[in-house]
């Protein structure tokens, strides 16, 4: 995720202090990984240098978290461009799982066993996410769902591969 | 062989053939009270056959099934049906509600079959319909409710007798993600609150994620993933 763009976007609704930006970020997007203050300062100084934000005021007491930042017109354009640009779908063509399965077949090991063990591990993660989702708020649900659908995609691949193991074995050991 | 200690329902070495087809080829299973176990595996691997054997609907050719310390094959057909009505609840993929009855009559049906008076049965039925958030559908017939609503009515019906084991075969198979999720939440919440065990056949990982553990059936043989590791 682009922390810079996210912090910029948070500034669009009005100027904020460094500590306030961190709090807003953590509350809305930092479910697993809250920002370190260090990340906030380094990001803000980069945005400042690039003219995407400006310092709008400094609270008494000093320290970088006391600086109040405002987004510039260039900053708004930058957020807009980021939002409008589609993310590149990840293609995982160099999947470790694929490599493991093919290696198992090449070395006459039990590939079905590898797939079963992997499914079990995936399901373990999915149970934790499902539990968290059940206990959480809507934001938790959406975040967990995203992870769950990705894990599910892996699992569907595992099932399909399990069903094609004989074919795959014939192909790789030819 | 003896069932694993503490298990409510256990099967050892089940074999079942349909003519030349070997549906179960030495399957094992066990479940504790209050546990949700997912039965996964490819289409045609024997999942539904396993569920039917465990529920005493289909007799296996060989192997043993113990429920609450009793060997199922040792019971008469009448005793087995009585056990199914009193101790087991069922949810299937679709087509399980009686179309001529209203939703509340459908949910009350298992109690009526067990001899409860109508009023009492329908009162209990309504309580379960409230828990599954479908009490407003009480006067409608199954043809007049959506798939997801009908499935919740079916879950209410499966739970109304206070079963000790709920058998669910692809209970969300005909539902979209959101409805499937809701049905699973309600089913597992309800089962947990009554300490019922749930045997959940599914090929969907997101549904299986509501279970405590999974077994995988392949070519009629089962693999208990927890015990295997
Ligand atoms: N009543 C029956 N008569 C004949 N063959 C049957 C019968 N029931 C099941 N079979 C066969 O037994 C095998 C296992 O079937 P089963 O219904 O248990 O599979 P399943 O794992 O539930 O599959 P699915 O995921 O498609 O529901 C299949 O080959 C099936 O054709
Ligand atoms: Mg089936």
């Amino acid at each position: 995720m682009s922390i810079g763009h996210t912090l910029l976007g948070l500034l669009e609704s009005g100027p904020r202090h460094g500590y306030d930006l961190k709090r807003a970020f953590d509350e809305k997007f930092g479910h697993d990984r809250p920002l370190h203050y260090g990340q906030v300062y380094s990001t803000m100084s980069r945005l400042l240098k690039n003219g995407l934000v400006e310092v709008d005021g400094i609270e008494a007491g000093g320290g970088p978290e006391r600086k109040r930042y405002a987004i510039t017109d260039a900053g708004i354009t930058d957020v807009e461009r980021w939002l409008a640009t589609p993310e590149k779908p990840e293609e995982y063509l160099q999947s470790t799982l694929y490599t493991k399965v093919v290696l198992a077949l090449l070395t006459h090991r039990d590939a079905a066993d590898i797939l079963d063990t992997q499914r079990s591990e995936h399901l373990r993660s999915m149970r934790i996410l499902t539990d968290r989702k059940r206990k959480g708020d809507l934001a938790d649900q959406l975040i967990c769902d995203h992870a769950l659908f990705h894990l599910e995609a892996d699992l569907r691949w595992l099932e399909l591969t399990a069903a094609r193991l004989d074919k795959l074995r014939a192909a790789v050991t030819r | 062989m003896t069932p694993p200690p503490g298990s409510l329902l256990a099967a050892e070495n089940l074999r079942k053939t349909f003519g030349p087809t070997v549906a179960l080829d030495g399957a094992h299973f066990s479940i504790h009270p209050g546990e949700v176990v997912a039965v996964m595996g490819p289409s045609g691997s024997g999942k539904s056959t396993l569920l039917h054997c465990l529920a005493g609907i289909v007799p296996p050719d060989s192997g043993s099934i113990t429920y609450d310390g009793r060997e199922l094959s040792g019971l008469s057909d009448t005793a087995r049906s009585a056990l199914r009505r009193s101790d087991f609840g069922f949810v299937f993929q679709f087509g399980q509600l009686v179309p001529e009855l209203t939703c509340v009559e459908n949910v009350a049906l298992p109690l009526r079959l067990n001899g409860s008076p109508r009023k009492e049965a329908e009162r209990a039925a309504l309580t379960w319909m409230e828990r599954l958030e479908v009490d407003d559908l009480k006067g409608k017939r199954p043809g007049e409710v959506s798939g997801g609503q009908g499935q919740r009515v079916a879950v209410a019906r499966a739970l109304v007798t206070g079963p000790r084991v709920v058998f669910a075969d692809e209970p969300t198979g005909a539902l979209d993600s959101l409805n499937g999720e809701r049905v699973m939440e309600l089913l597992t919440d309800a089962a947990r609150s009554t300490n019922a065990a749930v045997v959940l056949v599914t090929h969907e990982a997101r549904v299986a994620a509501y279970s405590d553990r999974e077994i995988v059936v392949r070519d009629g043989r089962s693999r208990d993933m927890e015990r295997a590791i």
Side-chain angles (χ1 to χ4, degrees):
Chain A
M1 180 174 43
S2 166
I3 294 173
H5 286 120
T6 312
L7 292 181
L8 266 184
L10 286 172
L11 282 176
E12 274 208 67
S13 53
R16 289 172 189 263
H17 288 96
Y19 58 79
D20 187 29
L21 267 177
K22 173 187 153 45
R23 214 188 36 223
F25 181 98
D26 289 350
E27 189 188 301
K28 295 213 167 48
F29 309 110
H31 288 260
D32 275 328
R33 280 169 290 178
L35 284 183
H36 301 296
Y37 274 114
Q39 280 174 291
V40 181
Y41 311 142
S42 60
T43 308
M44 291 323 287
S45 55
R46 179 170 53 80
L47 296 176
L48 206 56
K49 201 173 69 204
N50 294 339
L52 304 177
V53 298
E54 58 199 14
V55 175
D56 185 58
I58 300 177
E59 230 175 61
E65 74 269 31
R66 301 292 181 182
K67 272 188 190 159
R68 207 160 81 129
Y69 300 96
I71 192 166
T72 61
D73 286 346
I76 294 174
T77 311
D78 199 55
V79 174
E80 202 155 292
R81 194 166 41 225
W82 180 61
L83 289 177
T85 310
E87 296 296 312
K88 191 166 163 43
E90 293 181 54
E91 279 166 8
Y92 310 108
L93 279 177
Q94 293 303 323
S95 155
T96 315
L97 287 181
Y98 172 79
T99 311
K100 279 188 169 180
V101 170
V102 171
L103 263 183
L105 292 172
L106 281 173
T107 55
H108 305 285
R109 289 186 166 91
D110 190 346
D113 198 59
I114 291 176
L115 294 173
D116 278 350
T117 310
Q118 190 63 53
R119 178 205 290 104
S120 191
E121 190 61 26
H122 266 60
L123 270 177
R124 210 188 312 278
S125 297
M126 290 180 77
R127 285 193 183 98
I128 294 168
L129 289 164
T130 301
D131 197 49
R132 182 169 152 191
K133 185 170 123 172
R134 283 175 92 153
K135 293 173 182 149
D137 58 11
L138 184 59
D140 275 319
Q141 286 171 24
L142 291 173
I143 287 169
C144 291
D145 270 334
H146 189 263
L148 280 166
F149 278 110
H150 276 80
L151 290 169
E152 186 190 32
D154 277 352
L155 272 172
R156 291 174 73 163
W157 178 85
L158 288 174
E159 302 300 348
L160 202 64
T161 305
R164 286 173 169 164
L165 270 186
D166 289 339
K167 265 191 180 169
L168 185 61
R169 183 180 294 111
V172 301
T173 56
R174 192 173 43 210
Chain B
M1 284 203 232
T2 49
S7 64
L8 176 61
L9 176 66
E12 297 283 343
N13 226 350
L14 294 186
R15 221 185 122 75
K16 177 72 188 175
T17 53
F18 295 103
T21 308
V22 181
L24 292 179
D25 188 17
H28 299 262
F29 184 85
S30 78
I31 192 166
H32 286 69
E35 200 179 23
V36 181
V37 176
V39 179
M40 305 189 75
S43 184
S45 59
K47 302 181 298 292
S48 295
T49 308
L50 174 63
L51 182 139
H52 293 150
C53 287
L54 291 170
I57 297 169
V58 166
D61 299 341
S62 62
S64 82
I65 301 168
T66 8
Y67 170 69
D68 206 10
R70 279 169 293 179
E71 174 67 44
L72 276 196
S73 64
L75 302 178
S76 67
D77 282 353
T78 328
R80 246 198 322 270
S81 315
L83 178 72
R84 270 206 303 277
R85 280 207 308 270
S86 62
D87 285 34
F88 297 167
F90 296 89
V91 189
F92 297 110
Q93 187 168 350
F94 33 49
Q96 45 192 326
L97 298 174
V98 182
E100 291 80 14
L101 300 181
T102 63
C103 286
V104 70
E105 287 166 346
N106 263 288
V107 177
L109 191 60
L111 294 172
R112 300 281 288 139
L113 291 175
N114 284 347
S116 294
R118 167 186 276 272
K119 259 207 168 134
E120 211 172 283
E122 291 192 358
R123 198 162 42 229
L126 255 180
T127 310
W128 276 102
M129 289 177 80
E130 276 162 25
R131 287 183 69 170
L132 285 138
E133 299 163 5
V134 284
D135 47 313
D136 52 325
L137 305 175
K138 61 183 177 221
K140 292 203 172 181
R141 283 173 218 289
E144 300 166 336
V145 306
S146 78
Q149 292 166 335
Q151 210 55 354
R152 288 193 229 172
V153 173
V155 171
R157 187 175 69 173
L159 293 165
V160 74
T161 55
R164 295 180 66 197
V165 186
V166 178
F167 295 92
D169 196 345
E170 301 283 4
T172 63
L175 305 179
D176 66 16
S177 298
L178 202 57
N179 271 294
E181 181 171 289
R182 199 76 193 107
V183 164
M184 283 315 299
E185 268 175 15
L186 293 166
L187 171 63
T188 49
D189 278 348
R192 292 226 156 85
S193 71
T194 58
N195 206 32
V198 180
V199 183
L200 169 69
V201 171
T202 183
H203 65 273
E204 283 182 83
R206 268 177 308 111
V207 173
Y210 285 87
S211 67
D212 299 306
R213 64 184 170 89
E214 79 278 9
I215 69 157
V216 178
V217 182
R218 190 164 286 138
D219 299 329
R221 280 183 297 272
S222 59
R223 177 161 186 209
D224 186 327
M225 290 316 293
E226 189 152 279
R227 264 145 247 228
I229 291 170

